[in-house]
Amino acid sequence: MVNTKICPIEAALNLIGHKWKVLILRNLLSRSNQRFSDLLKGINGISQKMLTQQLRQMEQNGLISRKVYAEVPPKVEYSLTELGLSLQPMLESISTWGKGYLARQGKQQEDFIND
């Protein structure tokens, strides 16, 4: 017998469980309509190839939208969809938890999401 029930946590993690996806969401929540180069600069350690792969997957899953402008050179901007924006409360909770953790560790922190 096949289990047809799906765990909601598993479903969410299937969409955003990769660390780069969470950081892409963080950056797009802090400032919408970002170009590829802005995202690349704003995420420490991500390669162009990985960013491209993650953006494609997130677009296919309906979390972000990609707008191409008819310019030379081509201009492409990424922004969160309504579905992507619906993740903001969860990311704010993660940020709040992370702030507490960093404070307990005595480490400095940066604010990306206002909560």
Side-chain angles (χ1 to χ4, degrees):
M1 177 153 81
V2 176
N3 183 3
T4 58
K5 293 183 180 180
I6 299 171
C7 171
I9 294 172
E10 184 179 350
L13 287 175
N14 285 338
L15 286 179
I16 63 160
H18 196 280
K19 79 172 185 176
W20 299 122
K21 289 179 182 167
V22 174
L23 297 178
I24 291 167
L25 290 167
R26 174 202 66 190
N27 283 24
L28 289 173
L29 280 168
S30 68
R31 191 179 58 122
S32 61
N33 298 328
Q34 291 193 43
R35 296 180 75 167
F36 183 89
S37 59
D38 297 328
L39 290 167
L40 190 61
K41 289 176 194 171
I43 303 172
N44 293 329
I46 193 169
S47 68
Q48 287 185 1
K49 180 181 177 184
M50 182 58 70
L51 180 57
T52 299
Q53 289 173 349
Q54 298 303 304
L55 289 170
R56 284 184 185 149
Q57 288 176 6
M58 293 173 77
E59 185 180 11
Q60 289 171 352
N61 290 328
L63 296 173
I64 64 170
S65 63
R66 180 178 184 264
K67 183 173 183 180
V68 180
Y69 295 87
E71 297 178 6
V72 177
K75 177 182 175 184
V76 178
E77 287 185 339
Y78 296 91
S79 60
L80 293 173
T81 62
E82 190 174 326
L83 180 63
L85 286 169
S86 72
L87 294 166
Q88 185 169 0
M90 182 191 61
L91 291 173
E92 288 173 349
S93 293
I94 292 170
S95 177
T96 299
W97 184 90
K99 287 176 184 179
Y101 172 77
L102 290 172
R104 283 190 298 278
Q105 299 297 313
K107 297 181 181 179
Q108 291 185 338
Q109 54 189 287
E110 294 183 50
D111 282 328
F112 284 94
I113 299 174
N114 296 327
D115 49 349

